[in-house]
Amino acid sequence: MPEKQTFKQTLQMKRNYMGRACKLHFESAPLKIVQASRQYMYDDTGNEYLDCIGNISHVGHCHPHVTRAGQDQLGTLVASTGFLNEKSVEYAKRMIETLPEKLCVCFMVNSGSEANDLAVRLCRSYTGHHDVMVIDHAFHGNVSVIADLSPFKWQKLGMEKKDWVHVVPFPDTYRGKYREDSINPGLLYANEARNIIQSAHEKKRKIAAFLCEPMMVTAGVVEYPPHFLSQTFRAVHEAGGLCIIDEVNTGLGRTGDHFWAFQSQDVVPDILVVGKPLGNGFPMAMVITSKEIADNLSDYTNTFGGNPVACSIGLAVLDVIQNEKLQSSAKSVGKCFKDGLKAIAPNHPMIGDVRGRGMIVGIEIVTDKESRKPAPEAADLLAYKLKENKIIIANEGQDKNVMLITPPLCFTCDNARHVVQAIDSALAEIEKGASEAGLNQSSFGENRMDIPLNILSMPSTSGYSSEESDFDSEHPSKRARYEEVD
Amino acid sequence: MPEKQTFKQTLQMKRNYMGRACKLHFESAPLKIVQASRQYMYDDTGNEYLDCIGNISHVGHCHPHVTRAGQDQLGTLVASTGFLNEKSVEYAKRMIETLPEKLCVCFMVNSGSEANDLAVRLCRSYTGHHDVMVIDHAFHGNVSVIADLSPFKWQKLGMEKKDWVHVVPFPDTYRGKYREDSINPGLLYANEARNIIQSAHEKKRKIAAFLCEPMMVTAGVVEYPPHFLSQTFRAVHEAGGLCIIDEVNTGLGRTGDHFWAFQSQDVVPDILVVGKPLGNGFPMAMVITSKEIADNLSDYTNTFGGNPVACSIGLAVLDVIQNEKLQSSAKSVGKCFKDGLKAIAPNHPMIGDVRGRGMIVGIEIVTDKESRKPAPEAADLLAYKLKENKIIIANEGQDKNVMLITPPLCFTCDNARHVVQAIDSALAEIEKGASEAGLNQSSFGENRMDIPLNILSMPSTSGYSSEESDFDSEHPSKRARYEEVD
């Protein structure tokens, strides 16, 4: 169907009608996406972008098998809350079969946030305790209780830590308290967790749950050092708490070695949460736990959770992962990516680290390899430059300096090589620009206004008409772009 | 597509793999629904049921215009978080145009629970206060904070009231503290609310929000007496709090007189929440508020919220409501329903009250008109008997004694007459059965075991094979059914 609005109209309507808190990628020059297929997205002028961040579209945008399953079910039965439904129980069975025996009962909900919230409710109800421990810089979702459990979020919003929330130091061996040169940093971080539980107990507080990802994704692609998770789980269990693994970003084969990322970690969670990849974009999520923990909740209604469209789509996604061997592809393409990035890293003073597992790859952009100081402005610039090269990538992490690569799993080694090459060139330009502007590399990241503004004011990729711009122009980078077209 | 499982297999898989807390309608003889169209649902043996509870399927199950919109979008673009999207802004605009000027900015989320949670977050963030006032017996959703704000739920689960939650007495003039014979019961209930705020203040607590439905639906179809809402809103505003209207059950023309139920109440909320009807079964919900309140939140990400499939479907639902004049139909068919029920009420000692607005109709089932004592077991029985007549209806309300009628809006006057007739016969049988069993009507509702069990053990409607039953049989009504087939 042809688009009815100009780019400018769509942007203006977004600004008029949607909460400003709902941010866009490339805020100063956003994209209007109208179509997507496999690992590609298309904007309103027909440009094709390679999608390196579309982890929601797990098996590829609009995969025909998944699309057909959804379309068929939409025409047959959509809402059947409170009735037996074949698709729903079949999907529950298929999901549970991928997991250790202990995780055998599920609840179907609509988002990772709802799922993490329910997981916490289950822990509180089962243990009779109230407090929850999380890892610093973690992000687990947007509903009230889960926002309180997402230091990534509350630190950003200037919210205060709640007294029932306990925060373990970020177990990052690249920039954290204990680094790769420590002897057994995993145990050192786990000891920190143990001390936190201890000091909570001294204040007469009791831990209901430890909520964590199997590796930290949004916080900057950080894999835990060996023994951290198993030792922390042990401490939590000894304190009478339960352990929740949030696989919203990592589940369904993305990490390559296993179907679930926790399986690389020598632990089995008491509760598993999964969201994003399940529905290839369809809103759905799941909580899977033991019968003992599940039965503790006597009544739970979720209007849309487990609807037959979601479950039909979910089944089709599982089919595709299996039929197209996407888990092993995630492993080999991920290796291709990391190998390529590691090969170019020595030539780039700003690549501090390359890490990740399977199709979750992170690149630390730093002012220089020695100081390891985050360079978020350079990372931002790199994302914009790659966008000019028709590659969509995001800079994430607590310091916004980690390029996060989490594409649909149909991504190929050719795609990976193409992205590595583009990063190689774009970063060389940025490094050259920084050095030509006479900037001391170690102060590069401190103030975006130090960067020549013309780097930010790239030509429009969106082809909207040159009518007078009525967007507000308080942001210099925005002004640069819109002045150029007007 | 033919069903692959027998009824028995589906039921067994539900029991094996899904949390027991996820209850089924007609728990002792559930239905396996395989297809639905307009106001009809079809079970696995081809029986057609008239759906009187399918409010989620607002414009009719699998409405072709809505189905097509969803199918087209599923094949074009599903996930586009962080990018401009035409469908999303168009939908925001269309929704906002139905509302008073003040409500002009929206957030798109995935469920009524998420929406109510965000509304509370917005109030807390805007006012700097923490406490929330709700109405007794209200139900607003299932995420932690919202479950705490749903007395209907926490009373049922035996949870304790949180100290930040304040509960206004149920403003029910049929069975509440002030009844229809009071002079201005609305003001009397509003004064109760004012006193609650006052006593919170005395304890140094401050009200961030008052969260309520525009009429109480799940709690038993209770319309507020005049002035209750406007006077309570005034008291909340004077205390520096904001007022949230939860239209999850009432919005989009269902109440007939207006598009939004709050418009009958002489109030404009600070925040409006809507969920269920928006997507005709697709998981979506929305928070709509003023720019001032919205802008107070600086960052909000919702992975699936406002996805193009949801918004395309949402637009199609709005089209259908308009094209098929469903709001005025809700008014006339609702009147047909209430008139019919009021006409049979005098013949039935167990019909205590008939009430509601538009296509939200409630029938109070009582032991007798004088005592007004709730008769939940009779209501339960009535639901089962209507199911035998191929009519799906639920008994809801705090005492589970209110027959709740909230069908898809394509429901006709003929459908309504058919249901009234079926209620007339079924209730006569129940009343006769009760009197023949020598039960004193006033004690009828007290113990289900007093009811002859054969009334509960109805012939199977699901046609599963007569293999040995391995379902647990601790519940007598369950045993009755399965023994009969074995």
Side-chain angles (χ1 to χ4, degrees):
Chain A
M1 209 185 299
E3 296 294 297
K4 292 173 188 159
Q5 305 154 9
T6 63
F7 175 88
K8 189 174 163 178
Q9 283 170 332
T10 307
L11 182 57
Q12 190 61 55
M13 285 165 78
K14 158 80 171 69
R15 293 185 144 220
N16 287 348
Y17 303 121
M18 315 280 273
R20 284 214 173 198
C22 307
K23 299 282 167 46
L24 294 170
H25 298 303
F26 313 111
E27 194 75 34
S28 69
L31 286 176
K32 178 174 170 182
I33 296 296
V34 301
Q35 203 173 340
S37 174
R38 297 173 296 147
Q39 63 273 50
Y40 301 99
M41 301 188 92
Y42 301 87
D43 74 6
D44 52 330
T45 60
N47 284 312
E48 179 183 274
Y49 290 86
L50 182 59
D51 180 2
C52 297
I53 59 172
N55 58 340
I56 311 169
S57 304
H58 193 66
V59 301
H61 289 278
C62 301
H63 190 291
H65 181 64
V66 177
T67 301
R68 205 157 40 238
Q71 287 173 334
D72 287 350
Q73 192 62 49
L74 268 180
T76 312
L77 179 68
V78 180
S80 70
T81 328
F83 299 105
L84 289 172
N85 180 271
E86 184 156 319
K87 297 285 168 34
S88 159
V89 298
E90 175 67 23
Y91 185 54
K93 178 170 181 281
R94 284 273 293 276
M95 285 295 287
I96 285 166
E97 283 170 354
T98 67
L99 285 163
E101 205 169 340
K102 166 178 153 187
L103 299 167
C104 61
V105 178
C106 75
F107 295 89
M108 296 184 183
V109 301
N110 307 297
S111 68
S113 295
E114 276 192 359
N116 276 320
D117 184 280
L118 176 57
V120 170
R121 271 186 79 187
L122 285 168
C123 292
R124 285 177 167 172
S125 152
Y126 183 81
T127 63
H129 302 170
H130 187 70
D131 289 15
V132 183
M133 187 166 79
V134 291
I135 298 178
D136 203 7
H137 307 330
F139 176 69
H140 296 288
N142 56 47
V143 298
S144 298
V145 162
I146 301 303
D148 286 337
L149 291 171
S150 297
F152 185 82
K153 207 68 179 183
W154 50 255
Q155 285 162 358
K156 210 160 149 185
L157 292 175
M159 288 157 60
E160 276 181 20
K161 186 182 87 59
K162 297 285 159 61
D163 55 5
W164 55 270
V165 178
H166 306 278
V167 181
V168 180
F170 194 40
D172 171 14
T173 54
Y174 179 72
R175 190 181 286 112
K177 187 167 174 182
Y178 309 111
R179 301 194 176 179
E180 70 281 9
D181 54 0
S182 304
I183 297 162
N184 211 334
L187 278 188
L188 294 170
Y189 282 114
N191 277 339
E192 297 273 333
R194 196 174 277 277
N195 292 340
I196 281 162
I197 295 170
Q198 186 57 40
S199 82
H201 281 192
E202 280 159 15
K203 291 178 204 143
K204 307 282 173 227
R205 309 201 65 101
K206 286 180 172 174
I207 306 293
F210 170 47
L211 167 62
C212 67
E213 293 178 278
M215 64 184 273
M216 298 188 69
V217 180
T218 314
V221 188
V222 170
E223 286 198 272
Y224 305 127
H227 313 303
F228 166 70
L229 217 51
S230 58
Q231 289 306 311
T232 304
F233 271 35
R234 174 179 289 190
V236 172
H237 286 146
E238 283 170 9
L242 296 175
C243 298
I244 305 166
I245 286 271
D246 171 354
E247 292 255 9
V248 164
N249 279 310
T250 51
L252 267 57
R254 174 165 294 277
T255 54
D257 291 322
H258 298 91
F259 196 75
W260 299 103
F262 77 80
Q263 292 168 319
S264 312
Q265 294 285 320
D266 195 24
V267 293
V268 176
D270 300 299
I271 304 184
L272 181 90
V273 162
V274 61
K276 289 197 205 310
L278 291 180
N280 218 42
F282 192 95
M284 58 192 286
M286 213 183 238
V287 175
I288 310 176
T289 185
S290 69
K291 202 169 150 33
E292 206 184 354
I293 294 170
D295 280 355
N296 205 261
L297 190 67
S298 63
D299 190 84
Y300 181 78
T301 319
N302 192 305
T303 298
F304 304 124
N307 70 77
V309 182
C311 295
S312 295
I313 285 177
L315 284 165
V317 168
L318 295 178
D319 289 344
V320 175
I321 295 171
Q322 192 166 26
N323 296 343
E324 300 184 7
K325 299 185 174 44
L326 292 181
Q327 182 183 318
S328 69
S329 174
K331 185 169 180 166
S332 56
V333 178
K335 183 173 185 312
C336 193
F337 237 131
K338 276 209 318 202
D339 288 351
L341 290 167
K342 283 187 171 165
I344 65 164
N347 312 329
H348 293 284
M350 294 189 119
I351 296 187
D353 195 20
V354 171
R355 55 183 182 247
R357 188 176 279 260
M359 287 300 259
I360 302 175
V361 177
I363 314 164
E364 277 264 358
I365 305 297
V366 292
T367 56
D368 60 288
K369 290 186 202 289
E370 291 65 41
S371 75
R372 299 186 176 187
K373 198 175 159 191
E377 300 298 342
D380 212 22
L381 204 51
L382 180 56
Y384 274 87
K385 278 185 169 288
L386 291 170
K387 173 181 168 245
E388 283 306 294
N389 268 315
K390 310 289 181 280
I391 292 168
I392 296 175
I393 209 164
N395 48 316
E396 283 290 351
Q398 186 61 19
D399 297 305
K400 285 294 241 176
N401 76 313
V402 179
M403 307 313 290
L404 176 61
I405 298 169
T406 55
L409 295 192
C410 54
F411 215 80
T412 65
C413 269
D414 274 352
N415 292 146
R417 277 188 284 267
H418 173 65
V419 174
V420 171
Q421 208 167 37
I423 290 174
D424 193 23
S425 319
L427 206 51
E429 267 184 63
I430 292 169
E431 287 161 342
K432 185 160 170 276
S435 114
E436 276 177 7
L439 294 169
N440 181 332
Q441 278 184 350
S442 67
S443 74
F444 184 88
E446 296 203 324
N447 188 339
R448 186 175 187 152
M449 294 312 103
D450 293 344
I451 308 171
L453 260 182
N454 64 347
I455 305 187
L456 290 167
S457 58
M458 289 161 289
S460 161
T461 57
S462 301
Y464 60 83
S465 74
S466 57
E467 291 155 48
E468 188 183 305
S469 168
D470 46 7
F471 309 119
D472 78 19
S473 53
E474 78 283 0
H475 192 292
S477 64
K478 255 176 224 163
R479 200 165 53 234
R481 179 188 176 198
Y482 295 121
E483 280 170 5
E484 197 168 75
V485 237
D486 281 354
Chain B
M1 207 186 299
E3 296 293 296
K4 292 174 189 159
Q5 305 154 8
T6 63
F7 175 88
K8 189 173 163 179
Q9 283 171 331
T10 307
L11 181 58
Q12 190 61 55
M13 284 164 79
K14 159 81 172 68
R15 295 185 144 219
N16 287 349
Y17 302 122
M18 317 277 273
R20 285 214 170 195
C22 307
K23 299 280 165 48
L24 294 170
H25 297 303
F26 312 110
E27 194 76 34
S28 70
L31 285 176
K32 178 173 170 182
I33 296 296
V34 301
Q35 202 173 342
S37 174
R38 297 173 296 146
Q39 63 273 48
Y40 301 100
M41 302 188 92
Y42 301 87
D43 74 5
D44 53 330
T45 59
N47 283 310
E48 180 183 273
Y49 289 85
L50 182 60
D51 180 2
C52 296
I53 59 172
N55 58 341
I56 311 169
S57 304
H58 192 64
V59 302
H61 289 279
C62 300
H63 190 291
H65 182 64
V66 177
T67 301
R68 206 158 38 237
Q71 287 173 333
D72 287 350
Q73 192 62 50
L74 267 180
T76 312
L77 180 66
V78 181
S80 71
T81 326
F83 299 105
L84 288 172
N85 180 272
E86 184 157 317
K87 297 287 167 34
S88 159
V89 297
E90 175 68 21
Y91 184 55
K93 178 170 181 283
R94 285 272 293 278
M95 285 295 288
I96 284 166
E97 282 170 355
T98 67
L99 285 163
E101 206 169 339
K102 166 179 153 187
L103 299 168
C104 62
V105 178
C106 76
F107 295 90
M108 296 184 182
V109 300
N110 307 298
S111 68
S113 295
E114 275 193 0
N116 277 320
D117 184 279
L118 177 57
V120 169
R121 271 187 78 186
L122 286 167
C123 293
R124 285 177 167 172
S125 152
Y126 183 81
T127 62
H129 303 170
H130 187 71
D131 288 16
V132 183
M133 186 167 79
V134 292
I135 299 178
D136 203 8
H137 307 329
F139 177 69
H140 296 288
N142 57 47
V143 298
S144 297
V145 163
I146 300 303
D148 286 338
L149 290 170
S150 297
F152 186 82
K153 208 66 180 183
W154 48 256
Q155 286 161 358
K156 209 160 149 186
L157 293 176
M159 286 157 60
E160 276 181 22
K161 186 181 86 58
K162 297 284 159 62
D163 56 4
W164 54 270
V165 178
H166 306 278
V167 182
V168 179
F170 194 39
D172 171 14
T173 54
Y174 178 73
R175 190 179 287 112
K177 188 168 175 181
Y178 309 111
R179 301 194 177 178
E180 70 279 9
D181 54 1
S182 303
I183 298 164
N184 211 334
L187 279 187
L188 294 170
Y189 282 114
N191 276 339
E192 298 272 335
R194 197 175 276 277
N195 293 340
I196 282 162
I197 295 171
Q198 187 55 42
S199 83
H201 281 191
E202 281 159 15
K203 289 178 203 144
K204 307 280 173 229
R205 309 200 67 99
K206 286 181 172 174
I207 306 292
F210 170 47
L211 168 61
C212 67
E213 292 178 277
M215 64 183 273
M216 298 187 69
V217 179
T218 314
V221 188
V222 170
E223 285 198 272
Y224 305 126
H227 314 303
F228 167 70
L229 216 52
S230 58
Q231 289 305 312
T232 304
F233 271 37
R234 174 180 290 190
V236 172
H237 286 145
E238 285 170 8
L242 297 175
C243 298
I244 306 165
I245 286 271
D246 170 356
E247 291 255 9
V248 164
N249 279 309
T250 52
L252 268 57
R254 173 165 295 277
T255 55
D257 291 322
H258 298 92
F259 197 74
W260 299 103
F262 77 80
Q263 292 168 319
S264 314
Q265 294 283 322
D266 196 25
V267 294
V268 176
D270 301 299
I271 304 183
L272 181 89
V273 162
V274 61
K276 289 197 206 310
L278 290 180
N280 217 42
F282 192 95
M284 58 192 286
M286 212 185 239
V287 175
I288 310 176
T289 185
S290 68
K291 201 169 148 35
E292 206 184 353
I293 294 170
D295 279 357
N296 205 261
L297 190 66
S298 62
D299 189 85
Y300 181 78
T301 318
N302 192 305
T303 298
F304 304 124
N307 70 76
V309 181
C311 294
S312 295
I313 285 178
L315 284 164
V317 167
L318 294 178
D319 290 344
V320 175
I321 294 171
Q322 192 166 26
N323 296 342
E324 301 184 5
K325 299 187 175 42
L326 291 181
Q327 183 184 317
S328 67
S329 174
K331 186 171 179 164
S332 56
V333 178
K335 185 175 182 311
C336 194
F337 236 131
K338 276 209 316 202
D339 288 352
L341 290 167
K342 282 184 171 167
I344 64 163
N347 312 328
H348 292 285
M350 296 190 118
I351 295 187
D353 195 20
V354 172
R355 54 183 182 247
R357 189 175 277 260
M359 287 300 260
I360 303 175
V361 177
I363 314 164
E364 276 265 356
I365 305 296
V366 293
T367 55
D368 60 288
K369 289 187 202 289
E370 292 65 40
S371 75
R372 300 185 176 186
K373 196 173 160 191
E377 300 297 343
D380 211 23
L381 204 51
L382 179 56
Y384 275 87
K385 278 186 169 287
L386 291 169
K387 173 181 168 244
E388 283 304 295
N389 268 315
K390 310 288 181 282
I391 292 168
I392 296 175
I393 210 165
N395 48 317
E396 283 290 351
Q398 187 59 23
D399 297 305
K400 285 293 242 177
N401 75 314
V402 179
M403 308 312 293
L404 176 61
I405 298 170
T406 55
L409 295 191
C410 54
F411 214 79
T412 66
C413 269
D414 275 352
N415 292 148
R417 277 188 284 268
H418 173 65
V419 174
V420 170
Q421 208 167 37
I423 290 175
D424 194 24
S425 320
L427 205 50
E429 267 184 64
I430 292 170
E431 288 162 342
K432 186 159 169 278
S435 114
E436 275 178 8
L439 293 169
N440 180 333
Q441 277 184 350
S442 67
S443 74
F444 184 89
E446 297 203 324
N447 188 339
R448 185 172 187 156
M449 292 313 103
D450 293 344
I451 307 171
L453 261 183
N454 64 346
I455 306 188
L456 291 167
S457 58
M458 289 160 289
S460 162
T461 57
S462 302
Y464 60 83
S465 74
S466 57
E467 292 155 47
E468 187 182 307
S469 166
D470 47 6
F471 308 120
D472 79 18
S473 52
E474 78 283 2
H475 192 292
S477 64
K478 254 176 224 163
R479 198 166 53 235
R481 177 185 178 201
Y482 296 123
E483 278 169 6
E484 198 169 73
V485 237
D486 281 355

